[in-house]
Amino acid sequence: MRVTQKVKKILDWYEGDPPGVKANLARMVSTGKLGGTGKVLILPVDQGFEHGPARSFAPNPPAYDPHYHYQLAVEAGLNAYAAPLGMIAQGADTFAGQIPTILKVNNANSLATNKDQAVTASVKDALRLGCAAIGFTIYPSADQAFEQMEEIRALAEEAKAYGLAVVIWSYPRGSISKDGETAVDVTAYAAHMAALLGAHIIKVKPPTAFLEQPEAKKVYEKEKIEIGTLAQRIAHVVQASFAGRRIVVFSGGAAKDLAGIYDEARAIRDGGGNGSIIGRNTFQRPRAEALAMLDEIIKIYQDKA
Amino acid sequence: MRVTQKVKKILDWYEGDPPGVKANLARMVSTGKLGGTGKVLILPVDQGFEHGPARSFAPNPPAYDPHYHYQLAVEAGLNAYAAPLGMIAQGADTFAGQIPTILKVNNANSLATNKDQAVTASVKDALRLGCAAIGFTIYPSADQAFEQMEEIRALAEEAKAYGLAVVIWSYPRGSISKDGETAVDVTAYAAHMAALLGAHIIKVKPPTAFLEQPEAKKVYEKEKIEIGTLAQRIAHVVQASFAGRRIVVFSGGAAKDLAGIYDEARAIRDGGGNGSIIGRNTFQRPRAEALAMLDEIIKIYQDKA
Amino acid sequence: MRVTQKVKKILDWYEGDPPGVKANLARMVSTGKLGGTGKVLILPVDQGFEHGPARSFAPNPPAYDPHYHYQLAVEAGLNAYAAPLGMIAQGADTFAGQIPTILKVNNANSLATNKDQAVTASVKDALRLGCAAIGFTIYPSADQAFEQMEEIRALAEEAKAYGLAVVIWSYPRGSISKDGETAVDVTAYAAHMAALLGAHIIKVKPPTAFLEQPEAKKVYEKEKIEIGTLAQRIAHVVQASFAGRRIVVFSGGAAKDLAGIYDEARAIRDGGGNGSIIGRNTFQRPRAEALAMLDEIIKIYQDKA
Amino acid sequence: MRVTQKVKKILDWYEGDPPGVKANLARMVSTGKLGGTGKVLILPVDQGFEHGPARSFAPNPPAYDPHYHYQLAVEAGLNAYAAPLGMIAQGADTFAGQIPTILKVNNANSLATNKDQAVTASVKDALRLGCAAIGFTIYPSADQAFEQMEEIRALAEEAKAYGLAVVIWSYPRGSISKDGETAVDVTAYAAHMAALLGAHIIKVKPPTAFLEQPEAKKVYEKEKIEIGTLAQRIAHVVQASFAGRRIVVFSGGAAKDLAGIYDEARAIRDGGGNGSIIGRNTFQRPRAEALAMLDEIIKIYQDKA
Amino acid sequence: MRVTQKVKKILDWYEGDPPGVKANLARMVSTGKLGGTGKVLILPVDQGFEHGPARSFAPNPPAYDPHYHYQLAVEAGLNAYAAPLGMIAQGADTFAGQIPTILKVNNANSLATNKDQAVTASVKDALRLGCAAIGFTIYPSADQAFEQMEEIRALAEEAKAYGLAVVIWSYPRGSISKDGETAVDVTAYAAHMAALLGAHIIKVKPPTAFLEQPEAKKVYEKEKIEIGTLAQRIAHVVQASFAGRRIVVFSGGAAKDLAGIYDEARAIRDGGGNGSIIGRNTFQRPRAEALAMLDEIIKIYQDKA
């Protein structure tokens, strides 16, 4: 695996971490069609846990099979594949060495009675399955937020000690408004906290121009922070992530049309974001369409990489 | 013990697991009259814990004796016998090596004041008693569901590290409707989550055609998922369990007549389910009747195995 | 110490347990005037914790001294002496080797604000004090019941690993009626759960003919379970304890007259129970009266032993 | 250090404990002007934690300095000095070997929102600071009482394993009346529970003649337990502490006049109590006055020692 | 590194601590322009966690970059730099050995739904990042106060065992009035409790003349404690911190004008406080202005050091 100058520069950001972590970050950033460019495209498949199997896979039934996602990620030339324990295990031998994997170690589900996630896998699981990283979701502003932070603190410490990278999904929800969940002030705050908690890769949602917290709103207006376009908001979130010294990726959200997806990718690219992590928009499309779409997104990121 | 091609194929499903786990899965799938066919018939005796001794055993008093169940399972040629700590221990020497056992490590009881289960045995107990697997119940949609998932996560990790297989009883209850507990969308979801949590064998109830979650209902209708017959619903649950790459068994439920039991077994077989796990319908019948019934069920499964 | 054929048969019941546990069970069943008969008489002194020192010991002030109880148990020729940490420790040297002791590792008190018990001693304490067993109370139907079961699960596993026997006091209370606490269905259920949890010796209260749970009541009536006399109810509880393959003892309850105590012992004997565990009725009587009473009870049990 | 016959007799009480514990008990009982008499006088300084620094030390400002208390205890010829972590540490080198210390490992404070105490130091802290014992407060009848008992259970087990003595402050509060907190039935019960929990030294408040629990009141009246004078009540509490086989000391409470303090000491002495533990009445007086007062109390205890 | 007589005297305060802790305290007190004087000036940057990135850094955008703060602290000649995990890690290599760092191991955030902090880093993190100390916030009077005290108890024990110093931010809030949060009685109490908990460096807010607790107010009035000027109140807080035998620093609070900052520093100096810990007032000013301000504060402390 060739480590480009671009990748070396990214690895230099992670000062406090051991070589094992940097090696795994290098694996993820150097794999696939975007390998070495500093841009990343990741396939996450935790929708089955979150929404149930039929809502996730019935639109494209081959996706019921865990192997389907491994194959798609490899063939599309993605950087990594992220999923819960059972999904990663089912394919870990067959696809060993073909693509870096991220074990999603906590998960929510739509049958649950509270806004939390269960820890469903361990760092040891990630190691025995050959993963490059663990993934963990926090819900800033939820009642369980402090507890989640303490969980990822312990898991991240253990993961780093074993050379695994840490990906934090930082999704505000709970005590804020529905609009606030993707407000630019809240998203930047969520990304900043993920960085403070020691995340190597930060996953947030593309922010809107809405401002949730009154105290923050005053500052955005007084300091004239530019948040008019998505690219500007992306740039602001990247700045909030240690002035661009963390890998920040944006999720795709609910299924949408291709034009919307490509526009979003261009804005992420123009704002200096590191890439996308696209689940439903990938695996709910027929395989050929999904591959074509991913190829187009890769081209967008290659444009300025 | 001869491992058939059919069994080898099943073992190949469990990619992420160590050889010790595969050996114990092989023991269970290769034992008894259905041994080697890929079909399984299991005797579970946790009714004494769940409903009390008189409600469980008074209809057939010899069943008060733990040895009774071991003997019945051996003589009927079943694949495995599952029970709580005391029941498994009382017979573990006498019947050592005669039938694979599953230690049910959590249990509910009808005197309890909340919808949960107590953890009543450990992985170490399963090892010292010579068991092939641990069994654990989760109640998706209960307030304790996340806690239960975190319990089985830890127990399953320990069990697998010691070469034991993991059986998850996935029984939705709590925040859903009574009909929803066996709704096909909920059952498929429950089976999928068990697979994601790392279960080797998944136990659910035979699903009805009812649809509980409105968001799911829309998808079932839009995607025209076939759920008209029990066999179709079984097939859907099996598909939701990693496209058929997990052993899925269905429980017998309350005592019923023989015709109903046989029809259910045929539907499970036709839908591609791996078998049945039948408690009360076995041990509440006189011994001779129970043996005859089990033999008939075995014949049904052998039909297409 | 001679191990009789009767005792050997009892030890054979405990199939899953290591030799150290069987040796300690043998010590208890082979000690005292009932030694070797399979019947047992135990002195429990946890009333000071439960009701306070004056209510417990003022009627017979020498009983304030922990040595008093050791001496009484030894002189009366009982099988074992059970008490909390401080009581067992204060006498452990002086009476070392003279009588098997049971360390009661959890305790309630009448100043408490909830229906639970505190864990007040450990398995290591039992070992360093030379005890033969640990004792633990569960309150089936209390809100804390699951938690208590999980506590005894862990303590019992540790105790057995070190060769100690496990005695479970199974006293239903909490969400059931006052009459239900000694109802025969509930008592049999409580004894059965203690057996499932891995108890070697089960302590319950002598059951009344009341039936608490409507679902159970239907079965008792349909199956015509005989519960008219105390001896029949004792026999039913013994049957519910693995068809008589567990040592089941019955507590004496509040102070009462001698005739009542002797009648109860006869019923326990006739129903196949293994013996009595009598606290207040022993130590609240003057020493000479207590010794005479215990001698009479021993004679009753010897009658058919 | 000479161990008198009186002290040897006291050490014999503690049958279940290792020699290291007895050595530390001997240190405390053999130190100071009362050394060897079986009587003890202890200085506790946890008022700063409980009521804040100004309320505790402003009446006598030199007492803000932790060294002040060490020096006072040494110069007055006391048996031991008890305080929280920071107070003990600040002086541990300077006064090493000059006086036995008791590390108070849990503490309340008057800013707190519930009736509990925080565990603020460990057994390891006590060992590295050269302490002879740990001190711990339980609040029988508080909602947290069971939790506190489980905390001291674990701490006491660890302390004893390392040869440290255990002092339990048993202060009923919570679900009882204000008068009940010092009622003689409740105080005797509190002392008894401390003994059952394994305390070597029991600290309670001097009891009043009030009776809190109706069930207990009946017994006190029926058995004609003498509680008319403080000396009788002290004798009753001592009897409730294993018939006088535990060291029982009584706290001084709020600041009062010298005559009241001396009368109380005489009653403790006449009732057979082992001594006093006097904080505020010591350190809130000017140093010379405090020394004179302590000398007088020592003389009272020497009178009949 | 030269250790001055002044510093040696300070190290002597910490009697109970191992040499490794004293070495790290010496590092902090001997570094920078105030090195060796016994006075300290510390830069804390946890505002991003507490208030979000925009509110913290938008007024001076270079401050988004973690390196900015390291460089500023080094160039200004401060004693130490304190921040959460991500901020400390991002610069730990680049600035290794240039300035002592304090890892803030718990953190609040303004999206949270309760008045607590999450533990976000470990003692092991502090060690691998080469820190000199851990920092921890307690909220006396909050519902979580006891829990926080138990957290810092465990963390402090671990930190000291590895030679790290312990800094406690003691910020009363919760069940007291808004004015009470900086009341002089409450502040002195908060500082005293931090000392009792084993803090080496205590951080509180500059107290006002308000008195919160009625019981305390009586004592302040009766004993005529001087609290009229800020310098007098500082002196009182220092006295409450073991009669001046702990390093006590005062936080800067919200951004204010230079005159106010300098006046506060003079009062801290005149009252015998050890220095200031100033965050927002530093990093929200343009770099040159911040350096000039810090230089002026240093001169104030040098005046009488």
Side-chain angles (χ1 to χ4, degrees), chain B residues 41-48 56-57 69 72-73 78 80-84 87-88 102 104 167 169 171 203 249-253 276-284 294:
Chain B
L41 189 54
I42 298 171
L43 173 67
V45 187
D46 53 356
Q47 284 301 319
S56 301
F57 307 127
H69 306 284
L72 189 76
L78 305 188
Y81 164 52
M87 291 290 271
I88 289 290
I102 300 166
K104 187 69 188 1
V167 186
W169 274 239
Y171 284 4
K203 182 187 172 190
V249 296
F250 295 83
S251 55
S276 300
I277 175 159
I278 298 183
R280 277 171 288 174
N281 276 300
T282 300
F283 62 72
Q284 292 187 342
L294 293 169

Side-chain angles (χ1 to χ4, degrees), chain C:
Chain C
M1 191 179 75
R2 199 175 67 87
V3 175
T4 65
Q5 287 305 313
K6 184 86 193 179
V7 170
K8 278 187 183 157
K9 199 179 145 197
I10 287 174
L11 297 182
D12 282 349
W13 295 344
Y14 299 94
E15 297 196 8
D17 290 307
V21 167
K22 293 184 186 178
N24 270 318
L25 283 168
R27 276 176 66 199
M28 289 190 281
V29 186
S30 303
T31 293
K33 295 181 185 168
L34 287 169
T37 65
K39 298 295 173 186
V40 292
L41 188 55
I42 297 170
L43 174 66
V45 187
D46 53 356
Q47 284 301 320
F49 225 133
E50 299 250 335
H51 295 165
R55 284 175 66 193
S56 301
F57 308 126
N60 179 34
Y64 278 111
D65 185 346
H67 280 203
Y68 176 84
H69 305 284
Y70 268 103
Q71 282 174 317
L72 188 77
V74 170
E75 193 166 334
L78 305 188
N79 295 73
Y81 164 52
L85 180 66
M87 291 291 272
I88 289 290
Q90 184 59 14
D93 273 10
T94 305
F95 298 91
Q98 298 190 34
I99 186 160
T101 52
I102 300 166
L103 184 62
K104 186 69 187 4
V105 297
N106 69 343
N107 292 97
N109 69 77
S110 72
L111 290 169
T113 61
N114 63 53
K115 295 235 175 228
D116 197 2
Q117 298 219 342
V119 176
T120 57
S122 71
V123 169
K124 296 282 191 307
D125 286 324
L127 290 165
R128 70 178 171 84
L129 295 172
C131 301
I134 59 165
F136 189 93
T137 298
I138 58 171
Y139 291 148
S141 93
D143 289 343
Q144 294 83 0
F146 282 150
E147 197 184 316
Q148 291 176 330
M149 289 180 184
E150 298 191 346
E151 286 171 345
I152 185 54
R153 188 212 67 68
L155 289 166
E157 182 182 41
E158 188 187 356
K160 292 175 187 179
Y162 287 112
L164 294 178
V166 174
V167 186
I168 295 184
W169 274 239
S170 195
Y171 284 4
R173 69 184 59 176
S175 65
I176 52 174
S177 71
K178 193 70 198 166
D179 281 346
E181 294 182 6
T182 52
V184 66
D185 60 328
V186 166
T187 302
Y189 199 166
H192 185 64
M193 285 197 285
L196 290 174
L197 288 165
H200 301 107
I201 301 179
I202 297 164
K203 183 187 172 190
V204 289
K205 294 185 181 165
T208 67
F210 184 73
L211 290 165
E212 168 80 7
Q213 296 193 291
E215 286 297 315
K217 195 175 183 184
K218 278 184 226 164
V219 172
Y220 277 81
E221 288 166 357
K222 186 183 168 206
E223 305 293 342
K224 298 188 174 42
I225 301 174
E226 297 191 321
I227 55 171
T229 69
L230 179 54
Q232 286 172 332
R233 295 190 294 269
I234 296 286
H236 176 65
V237 170
V238 168
Q239 185 184 38
S241 303
F242 290 175
R245 283 179 169 155
R246 285 293 173 275
I247 299 172
V248 184
V249 296
F250 295 83
S251 54
K256 60 186 88 156
D257 67 15
L258 291 172
I261 292 168
Y262 301 149
D263 282 351
E264 206 166 86
R266 280 183 206 104
I268 293 166
R269 178 198 64 191
D270 294 345
N274 294 82
S276 301
I277 176 159
I278 299 183
R280 276 171 290 173
N281 275 301
T282 300
F283 62 73
Q284 292 187 344
R285 280 186 162 77
R287 181 176 160 78
E289 288 182 30
L291 286 169
M293 177 197 76
L294 293 170
D295 209 56
E296 185 60 33
I297 295 172
I298 286 167
K299 279 182 193 139
I300 290 169
Y301 280 119
Q302 284 172 330
D303 237 27
K304 281 203 189 171

Side-chain angles (χ1 to χ4, degrees), chain C residues 48-55 57-59 64-67 85-87 89-94 107 109-114 116-122 124 128-129, chain D residues 13-17 22 140-143 146 149-150 153 157 160 175-176 186 188-189 192-193 195-198 213 215-216 219-220 223 225 236 239-240 242-243 245-246:
Chain C
F49 225 133
E50 299 250 335
H51 295 165
R55 284 175 66 193
F57 308 126
Y64 278 111
D65 185 346
H67 280 203
L85 180 66
M87 291 291 272
Q90 184 59 14
D93 273 10
T94 305
N107 292 97
N109 69 77
S110 72
L111 290 169
T113 61
N114 63 53
D116 197 2
Q117 298 219 342
V119 176
T120 57
S122 71
K124 296 282 191 307
R128 70 178 171 84
L129 295 172
Chain D
W13 296 344
Y14 299 94
E15 297 196 9
D17 290 306
K22 294 184 185 178
S141 93
D143 290 343
F146 282 151
M149 288 180 185
E150 298 191 346
R153 188 214 67 68
E157 182 183 42
K160 292 174 186 180
S175 65
I176 52 174
V186 166
Y189 199 167
H192 185 65
M193 285 198 284
L196 290 173
L197 289 164
Q213 296 193 292
E215 287 296 316
V219 172
Y220 277 82
E223 305 293 344
I225 300 174
H236 177 65
Q239 186 183 37
F242 290 176
R245 283 180 170 154
R246 285 293 174 274

Side-chain angles (χ1 to χ4, degrees), chain B residues 65-210:
Chain B
D65 184 348
H67 281 203
Y68 177 84
H69 306 284
Y70 268 103
Q71 282 173 317
L72 189 76
V74 170
E75 192 166 335
L78 305 188
N79 296 73
Y81 164 52
L85 180 66
M87 291 290 271
I88 289 290
Q90 185 58 13
D93 274 9
T94 305
F95 299 90
Q98 298 190 32
I99 187 162
T101 52
I102 300 166
L103 184 62
K104 187 69 188 1
V105 296
N106 70 343
N107 291 99
N109 69 77
S110 73
L111 290 169
T113 61
N114 63 53
K115 296 237 174 223
D116 197 3
Q117 299 219 341
V119 175
T120 57
S122 72
V123 169
K124 296 282 192 306
D125 286 323
L127 290 164
R128 71 178 170 84
L129 295 172
C131 301
I134 60 165
F136 189 93
T137 298
I138 58 171
Y139 292 147
S141 93
D143 290 343
Q144 293 84 358
F146 282 151
E147 197 184 315
Q148 292 176 328
M149 288 180 184
E150 297 190 347
E151 286 170 345
I152 185 54
R153 189 214 65 69
L155 289 166
E157 182 182 41
E158 188 186 356
K160 291 175 188 180
Y162 287 112
L164 295 178
V166 174
V167 186
I168 295 184
W169 274 239
S170 195
Y171 284 4
R173 69 183 60 175
S175 66
I176 51 174
S177 70
K178 193 69 198 166
D179 282 346
E181 293 182 5
T182 52
V184 66
D185 60 328
V186 166
T187 302
Y189 199 166
H192 185 64
M193 285 198 285
L196 290 173
L197 288 165
H200 301 107
I201 301 179
I202 297 164
K203 182 187 172 190
V204 289
K205 293 185 181 165
T208 67
F210 184 72

Side-chain angles (χ1 to χ4, degrees), chain A residues 219 223-225 236 239-240 242-244, chain E residues 53-69 283-287:
Chain A
V219 172
E223 304 293 344
K224 297 187 175 43
I225 299 172
H236 176 65
Q239 186 184 37
F242 290 175
Chain E
R55 283 175 65 192
S56 302
F57 307 128
N60 179 34
Y64 278 110
D65 184 347
H67 281 203
Y68 176 85
H69 305 285
F283 62 72
Q284 292 188 342
R285 281 187 162 77
R287 179 176 162 79

Side-chain angles (χ1 to χ4, degrees), chain A residues 124-198:
Chain A
K124 295 283 191 306
D125 286 323
L127 290 165
R128 72 179 170 84
L129 295 172
C131 301
I134 60 165
F136 189 93
T137 298
I138 58 172
Y139 293 147
S141 93
D143 290 343
Q144 294 83 358
F146 282 150
E147 197 185 315
Q148 292 176 329
M149 288 180 183
E150 297 190 347
E151 285 170 345
I152 185 55
R153 187 214 67 68
L155 289 166
E157 182 182 42
E158 188 187 357
K160 291 175 187 179
Y162 288 112
L164 295 178
V166 174
V167 186
I168 295 184
W169 274 239
S170 195
Y171 284 3
R173 69 183 60 174
S175 65
I176 51 173
S177 71
K178 193 70 199 167
D179 281 347
E181 293 182 5
T182 51
V184 66
D185 60 327
V186 166
T187 303
Y189 199 166
H192 185 64
M193 285 198 285
L196 290 174
L197 288 165

